[in-house]
Amino acid sequence: MKQIEKLEIVNPNHAWVMAEFELLYAEWKEWELSVAQIVDQPYDTSSQAEVYADGEDNMHKHAVLQAKTLTFLNNNIKGHGFIEGFDGKAIDRRDLRLKIRVKHRLQQLEMLRASLKYAKVPEAYWKQKGKELLESVAKKTGDSAIEVAASYLKNPFSSGTTKE
């Protein structure tokens, strides 16, 4: 079995990374719906012209979405290498129909999506959360300060706000 690199969110703005990933994921889901509307035509793998059976514009749009996704992942998430492709091999072979390519890409993004809540986060994230905790506790006294601290400890990925 291939050993994979540890999954880590390298951008200290954890909330932004998660929100942006969800936007990309939604874009892939929309793309899946669009690709499902492409009318299947007979497909001859021996003909180079048939590579564009899904339409040259659709192939271009797919390539742009792939590039955008890979750029985001490379800049913000370390260890996403278990998502194969983006290299013209496997599911990204240009002789595969878009329905197949998009289906498999979504499966891989769903695996990443499920794994992200267990990913390591950078030290800067924890320092920021510590700063937020100290600021929140400093505004409180006695038992309410303890409640704020307990809330942070229970859910370190929350926004840091507590009910007053």
Side-chain angles (χ1 to χ4, degrees):
M1 177 184 255
K2 181 180 166 186
Q3 180 65 33
I4 62 170
E5 190 176 3
K6 289 181 183 175
L7 190 60
E8 180 178 359
I9 297 172
V10 295
N11 185 324
N13 191 341
H14 183 271
W16 178 85
V17 171
M18 298 304 286
E20 202 64 26
F21 180 82
E22 287 300 321
L23 288 174
L24 275 171
Y25 181 79
E27 194 171 344
W28 276 99
K29 291 298 280 181
E30 288 176 25
W31 182 229
E32 179 183 42
L33 294 174
S34 295
V35 166
Q37 303 303 315
I38 297 172
V39 177
D40 280 334
Q41 300 173 11
Y43 189 63
D44 177 10
T45 57
S46 65
S47 169
Q48 279 297 105
E50 292 297 325
V51 168
Y52 292 101
D54 289 318
E56 192 168 351
D57 288 344
N58 288 332
M59 297 293 278
H60 175 73
K61 183 175 179 175
H62 183 80
V64 168
L65 184 55
Q66 290 257 96
K68 187 164 92 170
T69 302
L70 183 59
T71 301
F72 171 79
L73 293 176
N74 284 340
N75 289 336
N76 297 286
I77 301 171
K78 183 178 176 184
H80 67 82
F82 67 91
I83 294 183
E84 297 176 347
F86 297 116
D87 61 1
K89 300 176 185 172
I91 69 165
D92 288 321
R93 291 185 358 235
R94 294 198 52 110
D95 62 339
L96 286 179
R97 298 297 299 267
L98 285 177
K99 286 181 186 176
I100 302 297
R101 295 170 71 184
V102 172
K103 173 186 170 186
H104 288 288
R105 178 64 64 224
L106 271 167
Q107 288 173 346
Q108 292 174 331
L109 289 172
E110 286 166 4
M111 288 188 306
L112 179 59
R113 186 179 190 211
S115 303
L116 279 176
K117 72 180 191 176
Y118 302 107
K120 289 178 61 177
V121 292
E123 194 64 32
Y125 171 81
W126 295 114
K127 288 179 182 178
Q128 178 62 33
K129 293 308 279 181
K131 180 181 173 188
E132 290 172 13
L133 171 61
L134 289 176
E135 288 171 355
S136 295
V137 169
K139 296 175 187 174
K140 308 288 182 185
T141 58
D143 286 342
S144 87
I146 293 170
E147 288 296 321
V148 169
S151 175
Y152 266 80
L153 292 171
K154 286 180 185 175
N155 189 5
F157 292 105
S158 71
S159 64
T161 59
T162 59
K163 295 179 183 173
E164 303 246 326

